[in-house]
Amino acid sequence: MSFFKKNKEGEQLQDVHEVKSVNPMVILACIIILAAIATYVVPAGTFDRVPIEGTDYEGIVQGSYHYVDNSPIAPFDVFVSFTKGLQNAAYIIFFLLILGGVFKIVETTGALHAGINNMIKATAGKEVILVPICLIVFSLISATAACCEEYLAFLPLMYMVCMGCGFDSILAVGLLFCSSAVGYAGGMTQAFSVGVAQTIAGLPMFSGIGFRTVGWAVLVTATIIYMMIYAHKIKKDPSKAYNFEIDKKYRAEMDFSTDNIAKLTGRQAAVLAVFFAGFVFAAFSVIKLGFYIDEMSAIFLIVGIICAIIGGVGPGRTADAFAEGAKDLVWAGLIIGLCYAATTILQDAQIMDTIVNAMGEALKGLHSSVAAVGMFVLQDVLNFLIPSGSGQAAITMPFMAPLADVLGVTRQTAVLAFQYGDAFTNVISPTSGEIMAALAICHVPYGKWFKFMWKLWVIWAVLACILLVVASMIGYN
């Protein structure tokens, strides 16, 4: 999205080196092809399933795995999977389009431009405090209300703030989606993955919250330290930013000048008040009222209309701005559709259960501490194939819970291994629709993001293994 574009005639963009990177659509197309090839190589199979009382999910009957006739994906159906992926992800895609349109409306009023420039001036020299505040606040929201794709709503604003404060686009993505990962790993009262996993495992809902809270504190502290170091480094020398050349290009199109900044007008202040009130109400409604994507879309549409009226933007300009903003995010929607296409192929070919069964067999005979870590590793691998937390819980926990009994691992520890495996991989997996959309919105090539993330991911993984060993040793239950 193009924010704060300079419109002075004759103004030139800064010279930038041509930045070549692999288009994320190419990466996802390769993954889809590999998934299609796997349907010819991996035997098809399935477990018998029974309804799980108190949930909308079906559980696997332990020991019921059996082979079925192979149904490999025909070459033509590989292309069909793209449209299926778009349909399956429609709720996220249309949310993004609406969000892009609303942001463009608010930008058209001039309030965002004036507000952020005033904020940058007021916080000069203290910008780094943004890092711990965002990580703690957003990770707690994820730990309690299971927010992840909802953070796409905050991303354009976070992008503008980070770019204006002298940080970079990678930090903008990290502050939101690393927060989400750490929050999901903590999962204190998070119903979509922890709640489902514990229900399937026969555990009281949200039991074991104390140890999970300790785990969250350890992980969020490590994340804050890592990102503070990066923020200080690029603040001191912007060329150290992993996405420096691309950011330089887009920063040149923005106007963050703090010279001769005028105070906010009454209209601009009112627009910003309504805009931020919309975010607060959206967050409150997700946590307290059970709202989700459809309701959030409605909230932001209402906010956009009110901001246009207050800002004096006529109906014609409002409609044009909305269409332009939505157009800017069509690319991100296509990326999400491709992510969902890969999962669709594996499910249609009935090879997902085969993969789960093989992984479970590989864990048998291991010491309980090693088995707990092994469960974490296997959940990591499965998360590349099943990015949905509740979906992964429904597929793997009916198998992992009784397997934990056989291996001498408590079911609570098995749920913890699932949590960590589900949380961390989503931040680096090219099949994660939310992270790929976020990278597309902020103009961050996947390779640059991976370069930033891999060290933090290793730190998370090491800490997760330590926590799982401790959980196994103390009989966490």
Side-chain angles (χ1 to χ4, degrees), residues 18-31:
E18 183 67 24
V19 181
K20 293 185 178 180
S21 58
V22 179
N23 190 301
M25 292 187 77
V26 175
I27 297 173
L28 291 168
C30 292
I31 291 173

Side-chain angles (χ1 to χ4, degrees), residues 135-153:
L135 285 169
I136 291 171
V137 170
F138 286 110
S139 67
L140 281 174
I141 293 173
S142 291
T144 54
C147 287
C148 180
E149 57 261 33
E150 292 88 345
Y151 290 159
L152 291 169

Side-chain angles (χ1 to χ4, degrees), residues 287-304:
I287 297 171
K288 293 294 185 180
L289 304 180
F291 282 11
Y292 193 46
I293 296 296
D294 291 341
E295 294 83 359
M296 286 182 68
S297 298
I299 290 170
F300 285 114
L301 276 173
I302 294 169
V303 166

Side-chain angles (χ1 to χ4, degrees), residues 109-111 114 262-274 307 309-312:
T109 68
K263 289 185 177 181
L264 287 172
T265 66
R267 280 190 177 219
Q268 290 172 338
V271 167
L272 291 179
V274 170
C307 287
I309 294 171
I310 295 174

Side-chain angles (χ1 to χ4, degrees), residues 203-410:
L203 298 169
M205 183 78 79
F206 306 137
S207 56
I209 190 172
F211 191 87
R212 293 202 305 279
T213 302
V214 171
W216 168 82
V218 169
L219 292 165
V220 79
T221 300
T223 307
I224 288 171
I225 294 170
Y226 183 86
M227 291 203 177
M228 288 279 279
I229 292 171
Y230 180 74
H232 275 294
K233 180 175 72 174
I234 64 176
K235 189 71 176 171
K236 184 177 180 180
D237 182 0
S239 66
K240 298 290 186 182
Y242 291 127
N243 205 33
F244 173 68
E245 292 294 340
I246 294 175
D247 280 348
K248 186 165 69 171
K249 173 184 175 181
Y250 286 99
R251 203 189 305 270
E253 299 176 347
M254 301 177 184
D255 182 8
F256 290 118
S257 173
T258 56
D259 298 332
N260 303 316
I261 293 177
K263 289 185 177 181
L264 287 172
T265 66
R267 280 190 177 219
Q268 290 172 338
V271 167
L272 291 179
V274 170
F275 186 55
F276 286 106
F279 277 100
V280 172
F281 181 70
F284 170 82
S285 64
V286 169
I287 297 171
K288 293 294 185 180
L289 304 180
F291 282 11
Y292 193 46
I293 296 296
D294 291 341
E295 294 83 359
M296 286 182 68
S297 298
I299 290 170
F300 285 114
L301 276 173
I302 294 169
V303 166
I305 293 169
I306 294 173
C307 287
I309 294 171
I310 295 174
V313 182
R317 284 182 64 205
T318 300
D320 290 342
F322 185 87
E324 184 180 349
K327 180 184 69 176
D328 288 340
L329 289 184
V330 168
W331 165 248
L334 294 174
I335 294 295
I336 294 174
L338 281 169
C339 291
Y340 275 67
T343 303
T344 298
I345 287 174
L346 298 177
Q347 290 173 339
D348 289 350
Q350 292 186 288
I351 65 175
M352 198 72 80
D353 283 1
T354 300
I355 296 171
V356 172
N357 183 64
M359 289 180 168
E361 290 295 322
L363 289 176
K364 290 183 178 178
L366 298 177
H367 184 273
S368 60
S369 296
V370 179
V373 173
M375 285 181 170
F376 162 64
V377 173
L378 296 185
Q379 294 287 0
D380 267 329
V381 174
L382 285 170
N383 205 38
F384 279 96
L385 310 177
I386 318 167
S388 165
S390 56
Q392 188 178 344
I395 290 174
T396 63
M397 285 313 300
F399 186 87
M400 291 298 181
L403 180 63
D405 298 338
V406 173
L407 297 173
V409 177
T410 67

Side-chain angles (χ1 to χ4, degrees), residues 158-203:
M158 185 66 76
Y159 174 75
M160 289 185 271
V161 170
C162 284
M163 294 289 274
C165 288
F167 299 134
D168 70 343
S169 53
I170 287 179
L171 195 66
V173 177
L175 287 178
L176 289 173
F177 289 92
C178 290
S179 294
S180 173
V182 171
Y184 263 69
M188 283 81 88
T189 59
Q190 195 261 85
F192 288 107
S193 60
V194 176
V196 171
Q198 288 187 322
T199 300
I200 293 173
L203 298 169

